[in-house]
Amino acid sequence: MSFFQKIKESAMSAADKAQQTVEITRIHTQISSKEKEIAGHYKEMGKCVFDAYVAGDPSAAEANIAEYAGKVLEIQKEIAALKSKIMEIKNEKPCECGTTAPFEALFCPSCGRKFETVAKEPQALAEGPATQHCTVCGGELETGDKFCVHCGAPQSTAKEGIDE
């Protein structure tokens, strides 16, 4: 590969990452807006409860609270979809333990739980520093992984290595 080809590919990679960052920032802005909308609904629910309390009939607020709660639940679903979109852009997937893992990982790097097989392909391969290799399967690992993402072996069985 020529020097100029390498420069061209590096520039294209940087442009792709910049575009991903812009898209993720846009989605975070949408999430923030929706969270403010939820806060407004919570405020209205509290006002309804207070007004019903002052009126001496707490049950009078139930209909309004149910309406606002329904709106909050709907917005929470929208936020979850937006967060899922961010993970898709980053080529990550969630684990039940609350951490995220690379899309192609078969096991969680934090808890070692095996992921279900997913038929969906990632948008693009995320690049990052992979400095460790598992001594059990030889798979590349990222710094800080507690378990191998390929075979599930604990990181105590992994050693430093170089790309082969």
Side-chain angles (χ1 to χ4, degrees):
M1 181 180 292
S2 74
F3 174 74
F4 292 112
Q5 184 65 26
K6 287 181 183 179
I7 290 175
K8 180 180 176 183
E9 286 180 9
S10 295
M12 289 175 62
S13 175
D16 288 343
K17 287 181 181 182
Q19 185 173 353
Q20 283 180 353
T21 301
V22 167
E23 181 67 13
I24 290 169
T25 301
R26 184 185 65 78
I27 294 171
H28 277 298
T29 301
Q30 289 177 332
I31 290 171
S32 178
S33 174
K34 293 193 177 296
E35 288 171 341
K36 287 177 185 175
E37 194 175 337
I38 287 174
H41 291 315
Y42 286 157
K43 183 178 177 181
E44 289 300 319
M45 278 191 258
K47 186 177 180 321
C48 289
V49 170
F50 179 76
D51 289 345
Y53 174 78
V54 169
D57 185 14
S59 63
E62 287 182 29
N64 289 335
I65 292 173
E67 178 185 344
Y68 288 119
K71 290 177 182 180
V72 168
L73 290 172
E74 192 61 37
I75 295 170
Q76 287 175 337
K77 287 179 189 176
E78 293 171 12
I79 289 172
L82 290 169
K83 288 181 178 180
S84 185
K85 179 69 175 167
I86 289 172
M87 291 182 74
E88 191 176 305
I89 291 169
K90 291 181 172 182
N91 290 320
E92 295 177 338
K93 59 185 169 185
C95 180
E96 292 176 15
C97 72
T99 62
T100 59
F103 182 82
E104 63 277 357
L106 300 175
F107 294 85
C108 176
S110 183
C111 72
R113 179 176 280 119
K114 184 174 182 168
F115 289 112
E116 297 294 323
T117 305
V118 180
K120 184 176 138 186
E121 290 295 321
Q123 288 181 350
L125 293 177
E127 295 182 17
T131 58
Q132 293 182 333
H133 293 270
C134 177
T135 57
V136 175
C137 72
E140 287 186 10
L141 305 169
E142 292 189 25
T143 304
D145 288 352
K146 295 178 184 173
F147 293 86
C148 176
V149 297
H150 305 286
C151 72
Q155 276 296 282
S156 59
T157 61
K159 65 178 181 180
E160 294 292 321
I162 57 171
D163 292 336
E164 297 168 352

